[in-house]
Amino acid sequence: MTANDPNTLLPRRPSRLVPTLAAVAVGIVVIAATAGLPIDWRDLGTVPAQLVHFGGLMFESPNWEKLPRALTEMWRSISMAWIGAILCVLVSIPLGMLAAGSVGPVWVRLPLRGVFAVIRAVPEVIIALILLTITGLTPFTGALALGIAGIGTQGKWVYETIESVQEGASEAVRAAGGGTAEVTRWALWPAAAPALLSLALYRFEINIRTSAVLGLVGAGGIGSMLANYTNYRQWDTVGMLLIVVVVVTMTMDAISGAIRRRITRGPGIARTTRTALPARTTRSRNVDRVR
């Protein structure tokens, strides 16, 4: 029986109706959203020239006189990010573990996941604006906003990490008579701890970038200084502040990334080889002496 045989039953060609309708619907939404915005598309031609103009004002001769204060404010932003990350991790890890399918019951798991989803739907700036009426214009407002806003994302990462752990260790603890608490302590937590610590450091990286944005609404840090000098059109100082933000953020990201790689991958193979080589050499010398 060949393909040209009329009695051959060929599979039906899959319908493209659903993907086509979905693409048309997305196109209509994009066109409607674009048409509903008051955008003068003729201004796009002037954007490159304006970028070059203001880039020259900011970076042609940056004002380094304000560098000490900029570093102080950047340190406040890093402190806000660190405190917010600690608050987020301390709250999200236990709640996220309770929201995991293999740990918490349904009546606890579903409400927690709903709370995480609601928190993720609210931007950090909105949370900071709400907290400003309670805590005032202080760096604590920014740290608290970062901590609350991170619970939604961090909690989701925690229960997804717990649910991705292999069941072998959990089944062994259950076979030994352990309950949910014992399974969580001796099976799930040891397996998920490296990934959770890595995600906590990643949360810190995100908070460093977000803390600069929170400063624009009065939460303190380098963002407040950047907003003030931008309002007064002191572009040479703004350029210096942007350089500080970029350099410090990239440095912290590199340090945090190296720590996260060490946590998730362990010590490098090259280092293990170097430390193991002298031991083998010493043993071989001892054998030679015995001989």
Side-chain angles (χ1 to χ4, degrees):
M1 185 176 295
T2 62
N4 296 327
D5 192 346
N7 296 324
T8 303
L9 298 178
L10 298 176
R12 296 180 59 183
R13 184 177 180 180
S15 176
R16 302 290 301 174
L17 179 61
V18 175
T20 302
L21 292 177
V24 171
V26 171
I28 292 174
V29 171
V30 172
I31 294 174
T34 305
L37 294 176
I39 299 176
D40 189 358
W41 296 103
R42 294 172 297 181
D43 295 338
L44 290 177
T46 63
V47 171
Q50 294 294 328
L51 289 176
V52 173
H53 172 67
F54 286 102
L57 294 177
M58 288 187 291
F59 302 111
E60 185 176 359
S61 58
N63 181 16
W64 298 106
E65 295 179 359
K66 303 292 184 180
L67 181 60
R69 184 188 170 193
L71 294 177
T72 302
E73 295 297 331
M74 191 67 211
W75 174 251
R76 287 185 179 179
S77 296
I78 295 174
S79 302
M80 287 166 46
W82 182 246
I83 294 174
I86 292 176
L87 293 175
C88 169
V89 170
L90 291 178
V91 176
S92 62
I93 285 183
L95 295 182
M97 296 185 73
L98 287 175
S102 57
V103 178
V106 178
W107 58 272
V108 173
R109 184 169 68 248
L110 294 182
L112 283 176
R113 295 191 179 192
V115 171
F116 293 155
V118 171
I119 295 176
R120 288 196 306 272
V122 183
E124 292 88 348
V125 177
I126 303 300
I127 297 177
L129 290 175
I130 296 174
L131 293 176
L132 284 176
T133 60
I134 303 173
T135 57
L137 298 174
T138 61
F140 177 70
T141 301
L144 194 59
L146 291 173
I148 295 175
I151 291 175
T153 305
Q154 195 76 19
K156 179 179 174 62
W157 290 344
V158 169
Y159 72 72
E160 288 181 349
T161 302
I162 294 297
E163 291 177 349
S164 64
V165 174
Q166 297 182 357
E167 293 291 333
S170 301
E171 293 177 356
V173 175
R174 290 192 182 96
T180 302
E182 288 77 14
V183 170
T184 303
R185 171 63 183 87
W186 301 108
L188 298 179
W189 173 252
L196 296 181
L197 293 177
S198 175
L199 292 173
L201 287 174
Y202 184 59
R203 182 76 246 173
F204 172 60
E205 296 178 16
I206 296 175
N207 285 355
I208 291 178
R209 291 185 285 270
T210 309
S211 62
V213 179
L214 293 182
L216 300 176
V217 297
I222 193 69
S224 298
M225 190 176 178
L226 186 60
N228 293 333
Y229 284 99
T230 302
N231 293 332
Y232 288 105
R233 301 295 190 269
Q234 297 186 17
W235 301 115
D236 53 350
T237 306
V238 172
M240 181 272 298
L241 293 174
L242 291 177
I243 293 174
V244 170
V245 170
V246 171
V247 171
V248 173
T249 302
M250 291 180 63
T251 303
M252 296 303 297
D253 285 351
I255 296 173
S256 178
I259 297 174
R260 287 193 291 110
R261 287 190 297 271
R262 180 61 183 268
I263 291 174
T264 55
R265 300 178 185 177
I269 298 177
R271 180 177 298 178
T272 304
T273 305
R274 288 196 299 267
T275 56
L277 183 58
R280 290 197 299 269
T281 305
T282 303
R283 287 196 298 269
S284 62
R285 291 178 180 175
N286 293 333
V287 172
D288 293 339
R289 291 177 180 176
V290 172
R291 291 179 180 177

